Amino acid sequence: MEGCTKSVLWRYVMVLLFFSAILDTASSVTHYSIPEEMEEGSVVANLASDLGLDVTTLNNRQMRLDIRSNKKYLNVNKETGELYILEKMDREYLCSSKTTNCFIKMEVTMENPVRMFNIEIEIVDINDNAPQFWRDTIRLDISESTAAGERFSLSNAVDPDIGSNSIKTYYLSENEHFNIEVQTGRDGSKFADLILKKPLDREERASYNLILTAVDGGVPARSGTASIIVRVLDTNDNAPQFDKDSYTINLTENAPIGSLVVKLNASDKDEGSNSDLLYSYSLYTSEKTQQTFSLNPNNGEIRVKELINYEDFRIYDMEIIATDKGANSLTGKCKVKILITDMNDNHPEISIRSVTSPVKEDVAVNTVIAVVSVSDKDSGENGQVDIHISADLPFALKESSDNYYELLVSEPLDREKLPEYDITITVTDRGNPPLSDNETITLELLDVNDNVPQFPQTFYTIPVMENNAPGASLSSITAVDPDLHENQYLVYFIIEKEIANTSMSMLFSINPENGNLYALKTFDYEIEKDFLFHIEARDSGVPPLSSNVTVHIIIMDQNDNTPLIVSPWRAQGSEVKETIPRSTDKGTLIAKVIAIDSDSVHNSRITYQFLQNTDATLFSLDQYNGEIRTMRMFSYRDSRDQRLVVIAKDNGEPALSATVTIKLSTVETALKTYTEVPLEYDIFSDLNLYLVIGLGSVSFLLLITILVTIVLKCQKAKPSKAAPPSRNSVISERNSTIADSTLVSNDAYWYSLFLAETRKGKLVVRQPVPKGARYIVSSIPRSTGLTETSDSAASTLQVRNSVSIIRERFA
């Protein structure tokens, strides 16, 4: 039983060891060490054997070698499983010379099943590099007065190999005056100091040629040499001295390149070469200073080497060394401080931020449009700046903080006056001469509805000829709005107004888009003479704005009414018959033709002419008042019947006319007196009826005219003028009565008074009066008596009881 337990435990331990070996194989790194510079094809090791791989399965399992971060210097022979050199390896190239260990890490990958192995190749250094000095010749000048024990630094040698293969020590060729002491640096490098063991005597020996040998610790050892040339100089026991220990120089910036800054002077009491001096910058002089200023090593002149900018450097400090040319040169030092004086060579700078554009034209005053910052790299007054904008702009600058300004709206803006502003901001420094800069801000204004539409005229008077065609265009009444877009789109309306229960929109219409005005009906001057109404223009802004204009339509008269002959009266198409005595005197008024025209002004002015005259030497016709008078007395040769045709023509274009035919019959005896003839009144005749209607109408118009005239001229009432005396009148006796009648005439040339006769009435014709008078004439029944004038050639009948005539004249 005990033996069985031990057997089981042993097997368990073996299994654990087996798995541990497998895990160790998968996770461990295979390490190889090879020397550098192995020849190509050299076998490093049998990798298959070391890894426990079957050589015959390497190809099938696609064995692959990957090198990390390096060129592929090694490869695996898949036939033999050997790891061999593919290309020579230089440790100094692959790894830093300071690195102690140099490794190449690789991975071996197997497929089917996948297995990976880490390989590490250590490149072992070999002594393949000899020590080498930076300079082959080391020159030293040692004065003969140098004391023993003085040390002189020598250039050290370098060896890229490491460890024991690096530099181990230095050797100096045999001599009695010099020795070396090998020093070890902190990094393990070796360098040698030359030590003067015994004072030199230039007269005994002027120079020494020493060989310094550097030897590494490799096997076999490698070495490198450098020549040390020691020149023994004459004793130089006087150091150079400058005139002053320090110099302070003021230099203006932008000084021309090559201009002299200062000429330094140092002196040496020695003679010969020991007194010849060289000037140089010390190590304490910055590279920037040496780049800016040049130092002449022979004469100590310091000149400007490149452009000097005060804003970059304001003070330059330098230390100048004067070194004599003795064998053992001595030096003297001085300090130079160059203070740069500022010039006004920098223009002020403007930076515009937070620009608000566009803005509405109704933007509030003191609104910030932009923030402006200014700067100037100069100093003092050269760096102090003044900022301003044009005084005629509605903007202002307000300082908000140091060198920051706010551009504000200082006055109300109006896009219609100026839709865009170019605001030029100018900044000027206080230097001499001053420098300036400017920036321009373009500010665009957005429109708001702040303008009422405007008509070019406040009152429109539009003449319209009567008898116009309905729908005819009368005029175009347009307004303008300086706003933009919908704020300037105008709509036109007629403001409603009723005239005699007729809406104005029934008489006229207006195009709402372009303001064209049209008449909707035909007008008659004799009925409608003018119209007065308003037109409104309204824009489309929010809220809308509007304005209106007064329009006065004046109806112009046309010559569309034919003159109407009202005296002498006759039936339609009949002749007028008159009887006159043959004893009628020359110049006697035989008849008067009166015509009226309902047109106005020149269209109603009537002239009279004979269209037919039996005897042109017997009768004359006044072309203005229509009076027919005798030009001579009748003779026995003249015919008893005279036929006169008179045409009454108006002054229109074309002229219209009417005619009347008067048949005159002459008698030998005088007429009986009116006292003997009873008057008969036919009040129911057609003529009387017409005259009564006309009288009533004219009387009503007369009353209205009088009332209006009194109201208008109550302050300046003019006295009425007496009627001019009548000339001779001819009264033809008819066996009838005379009816009352009234006639109103506006003609500027004449007025007429007549009593319209009936078949048995009497006709009284009055002489015309001056132009411009207006008369209202009424007739009343005459008295029955007539007187006969016996002194004339033919008796003239006059009305004994005169007809009362009422007359008014208006200025």
Side-chain angles (χ1 to χ4, degrees):
M1 184 66 178
E2 183 178 357
C4 181
T5 302
K6 290 182 179 180
S7 175
V8 172
L9 289 174
W10 176 251
R11 290 178 182 177
Y12 180 70
V13 170
M14 292 299 292
V15 171
L16 289 178
L17 291 175
F18 174 75
F19 281 106
S20 176
I22 293 175
L23 292 174
D24 182 65
T25 303
S27 61
S28 62
V29 178
T30 303
H31 182 83
Y32 297 101
S33 294
I34 61 173
E36 64 174 327
E37 302 293 342
M38 286 185 68
E39 295 295 331
E40 296 178 6
S42 300
V43 176
V44 175
N46 192 313
L47 193 58
S49 175
D50 293 340
L51 297 177
L53 300 175
D54 188 357
V55 177
T56 60
T57 62
L58 296 182
N59 283 325
N60 293 334
R61 296 187 65 182
Q62 299 178 7
M63 181 181 188
R64 184 173 68 251
L65 179 65
D66 297 321
I67 299 179
R68 303 177 192 170
S69 306
N70 280 301
K71 186 177 178 182
K72 191 171 183 180
Y73 289 100
L74 298 96
N75 204 354
V76 177
N77 189 333
K78 296 180 182 180
E79 299 297 332
T80 62
E82 292 177 339
L83 181 65
Y84 64 93
I85 301 299
L86 193 62
E87 185 179 335
K88 278 187 178 184
M89 291 176 285
D90 186 359
R91 193 202 66 82
E92 287 74 29
Y93 173 76
L94 292 174
C95 304
S96 173
S97 59
K98 302 296 183 182
T99 303
T100 305
N101 297 321
C102 182
F103 295 96
I104 295 179
K105 295 183 179 182
M106 300 178 294
E107 290 180 353
V108 177
T109 304
M110 305 293 293
E111 303 287 346
N112 301 321
V114 176
R115 289 193 66 186
M116 297 182 66
F117 302 94
N118 294 323
I119 309 299
E120 186 177 74
I121 306 295
E122 181 183 4
I123 309 301
V124 179
D125 182 47
I126 63 174
N127 192 22
D128 57 344
N129 292 284
Q132 186 176 2
F133 287 91
W134 290 110
R135 292 185 296 176
D136 294 338
T137 302
I138 303 172
R139 298 181 180 275
L140 295 176
D141 291 335
I142 301 175
S143 174
E144 61 179 335
S145 60
T146 303
E150 187 71 22
R151 290 174 172 268
F152 301 94
S153 296
L154 301 175
S155 297
N156 62 319
V158 294
D159 192 333
D161 293 327
I162 62 172
S164 60
N165 294 327
S166 63
I167 297 174
K168 182 178 180 181
T169 187
Y170 292 91
Y171 297 100
L172 185 66
S173 58
E174 289 290 337
N175 66 89
E176 59 178 339
H177 291 280
F178 297 97
N179 196 3
I180 62 170
E181 183 177 322
V182 179
Q183 303 287 341
T184 302
R186 292 182 179 179
D187 57 354
S189 60
K190 305 287 186 178
F191 59 90
D193 287 340
L194 184 65
I195 301 174
L196 181 62
K197 294 189 301 181
K198 180 181 177 181
L200 301 175
D201 186 355
R202 191 192 62 81
E203 289 71 28
E204 183 180 346
R205 188 172 179 179
S207 63
Y208 295 86
N209 290 326
L210 307 176
I211 302 300
L212 180 61
T213 303
V215 181
D216 62 23
V219 179
R222 291 177 176 268
S223 62
T225 60
S227 176
I228 300 175
I229 299 176
V230 178
R231 187 175 60 168
V232 181
L233 303 178
D234 189 22
T235 299
N236 184 22
D237 53 355
N238 290 289
Q241 293 290 328
F242 283 91
D243 294 342
K244 294 191 295 183
D245 292 336
S246 62
Y247 296 83
T248 300
I249 295 144
N250 293 316
L251 180 64
T252 304
E253 69 171 326
N254 300 324
I257 295 175
S259 59
L260 179 65
V261 179
V262 64
K263 186 178 186 301
L264 301 177
N265 183 48
S267 59
D268 195 322
K269 296 180 180 179
D270 292 329
E271 295 181 349
S273 61
N274 291 332
S275 63
D276 295 336
L277 303 180
L278 291 174
Y279 298 90
S280 63
Y281 291 113
S282 74
L283 296 177
Y284 297 102
T285 304
S286 67
E287 292 184 3
K288 176 62 179 176
T289 302
Q290 296 183 40
Q291 291 174 1
T292 306
F293 300 96
S294 64
L295 173 62
N296 190 317
N298 297 318
N299 56 22
E301 289 181 350
I302 298 177
R303 295 183 179 272
V304 177
K305 187 176 181 180
E306 63 178 25
L307 191 63
I308 300 173
N309 192 352
Y310 172 85
E311 289 69 37
D312 294 339
F313 284 90
R314 302 183 181 184
I315 300 175
Y316 291 88
D317 289 314
M318 58 183 71
E319 186 179 62
I320 308 300
I321 298 176
T323 306
D324 60 27
K325 297 181 180 179
N328 187 15
S329 59
L330 299 177
T331 60
K333 299 178 181 179
C334 74
K335 292 184 178 180
V336 178
K337 178 178 288 189
I338 300 177
L339 304 178
I340 305 302
T341 303
D342 183 40
M343 287 184 62
N344 192 25
D345 61 338
N346 288 282
H347 287 263
E349 295 180 356
I350 301 177
S351 178
I352 300 176
R353 308 172 185 177
S354 305
V355 179
T356 303
S357 179
V359 297
K360 290 186 177 181
E361 62 175 319
D362 61 349
V363 61
V365 175
N366 294 327
T367 299
V368 178
I369 300 301
V371 176
V372 182
S373 64
V374 296
S375 61
D376 195 321
K377 294 180 181 179
D378 293 324
S379 63
E381 289 190 349
N382 296 332
Q384 296 178 7
V385 297
D386 299 311
I387 186 171
H388 66 277
I389 60 175
S390 177
D392 58 353
L393 292 177
F395 302 97
L397 286 168
K398 178 182 177 182
E399 187 173 5
S400 59
S401 60
D402 189 21
N403 292 331
Y404 279 86
Y405 297 84
E406 293 177 345
L407 180 62
L408 306 175
V409 178
S410 61
E411 299 175 13
L413 305 179
D414 189 354
R415 189 205 63 81
E416 287 69 39
K417 291 182 179 178
L418 196 62
E420 186 178 89
Y421 288 92
D422 288 331
I423 308 169
T424 300
I425 303 174
T426 304
V427 59
T428 306
D429 62 25
R430 299 179 184 177
N432 188 19
L435 300 178
S436 63
D437 192 13
N438 61 73
E439 288 287 343
T440 300
I441 300 175
T442 299
L443 180 64
E444 180 184 355
L445 299 184
L446 298 178
D447 183 53
V448 296
N449 193 25
D450 59 345
N451 287 280
V452 176
Q454 295 292 330
F455 287 92
Q457 302 173 216
T458 58
F459 191 91
Y460 285 86
T461 300
I462 302 174
V464 178
M465 191 66 67
E466 68 173 329
N467 302 318
N468 59 294
S473 176
L474 303 183
S475 180
S476 180
I477 300 176
T478 57
V480 294
D481 193 324
D483 292 324
L484 286 179
H485 308 307
E486 67 275 358
N487 296 331
Q488 72 169 172
Y489 297 149
L490 302 182
V491 181
Y492 300 90
F493 306 91
I494 293 178
I495 299 178
E496 285 297 333
K497 178 182 178 183
E498 289 191 358
I499 298 179
N501 296 325
T502 301
S503 175
M504 193 60 62
S505 60
M506 298 178 65
L507 302 177
F508 303 95
S509 71
I510 189 168
N511 189 318
E513 295 182 357
N514 56 27
N516 290 340
L517 185 64
Y518 301 93
L520 298 181
K521 62 167 286 187
T522 301
F523 299 109
D524 187 353
Y525 173 82
E526 286 70 38
I527 300 176
E528 304 157 315
K529 292 185 171 53
D530 66 345
F531 299 93
L532 194 67
F533 56 92
H534 299 285
I535 291 177
E536 177 181 309
R538 183 184 305 164
D539 62 28
S540 302
V542 179
L545 302 177
S546 63
S547 64
N548 58 65
V549 67
T550 302
V551 178
H552 186 200
I553 304 293
I554 299 177
I555 309 301
M556 305 297 294
D557 183 47
Q558 269 189 336
N559 192 27
D560 58 345
N561 290 282
T562 304
L564 175 64
I565 297 177
V566 296
S567 177
W569 184 90
R570 84 280 188 203
Q572 185 68 27
S574 63
E575 296 180 345
V576 177
K577 294 181 180 181
E578 294 285 351
T579 302
I580 61 173
R582 293 185 65 84
S583 61
T584 300
D585 291 337
K586 174 184 176 181
T588 302
L589 179 65
I590 301 302
K592 180 166 183 169
V593 179
I594 301 175
I596 61 175
D597 193 322
S598 58
D599 292 322
S600 66
V601 195
H602 63 277
N603 291 330
S604 65
R605 293 176 182 174
I606 297 177
T607 58
Y608 304 90
Q609 294 177 352
F610 279 127
L611 194 61
Q612 184 179 344
N613 188 354
T614 305
D615 189 347
T617 65
L618 186 57
F619 300 101
S620 66
L621 174 63
D622 191 310
Q623 64 174 341
Y624 297 112
N625 57 24
E627 291 180 348
I628 302 175
R629 295 180 181 271
T630 57
M631 297 176 62
R632 59 180 174 81
M633 295 184 67
F634 288 93
S635 68
Y636 67 92
R637 296 179 181 177
D638 294 328
S639 174
R640 287 185 174 273
D641 297 320
Q642 299 288 331
R643 189 172 183 273
L644 304 178
V645 180
V646 178
I647 182 172
K649 184 186 299 183
D650 63 23
N651 198 34
E653 184 62 37
L656 301 178
S657 63
T659 61
V660 62
T661 302
I662 302 174
K663 188 174 181 180
L664 296 177
S665 298
T666 60
V667 295
E668 295 294 338
T669 59
L671 296 175
K672 294 181 179 180
T673 63
Y674 283 103
T675 58
E676 298 175 358
V677 179
L679 293 176
E680 298 179 3
Y681 293 91
D682 186 3
I683 61 176
F684 296 105
S685 66
D686 293 339
L687 178 59
N688 283 347
L689 180 61
Y690 294 150
L691 289 176
V692 168
I693 295 173
L695 179 61
S697 301
V698 172
S699 298
F700 176 74
L701 294 175
L702 173 63
L703 179 61
I704 297 299
T705 304
I706 291 174
L707 291 176
V708 172
T709 305
I710 290 173
V711 171
L712 295 177
K713 298 194 175 183
C714 61
Q715 301 294 332
K716 299 179 181 179
K718 293 185 178 181
S720 300
K721 294 184 180 179
S726 304
R727 294 186 181 179
N728 293 335
S729 302
V730 175
I731 303 175
S732 59
E733 183 178 2
R734 306 291 286 270
N735 294 324
S736 68
T737 61
I738 301 175
D740 294 341
S741 66
T742 301
L743 174 67
V744 180
S745 176
N746 293 324
D747 191 271
Y749 295 98
W750 52 267
Y751 83 93
S752 298
L753 300 177
F754 73 96
L755 297 175
E757 60 178 342
T758 62
R759 289 181 295 105
K760 298 178 181 181
K762 302 297 181 180
L763 174 66
V764 179
V765 181
R766 301 291 298 174
Q767 182 72 10
V769 298
K771 175 182 178 181
R774 182 183 183 191
Y775 295 88
I776 301 174
V777 182
S778 300
S779 66
I780 60 174
R782 64 172 176 82
S783 62
T784 57
L786 291 175
T787 7
E788 181 177 333
T789 304
S790 59
D791 296 335
S792 60
S795 298
T796 302
L797 298 179
Q798 297 182 342
V799 178
R800 182 182 298 270
N801 297 323
S802 61
V803 178
S804 175
I805 301 173
I806 302 173
R807 178 180 60 186
E808 287 185 15
R809 180 180 179 185
F810 300 97

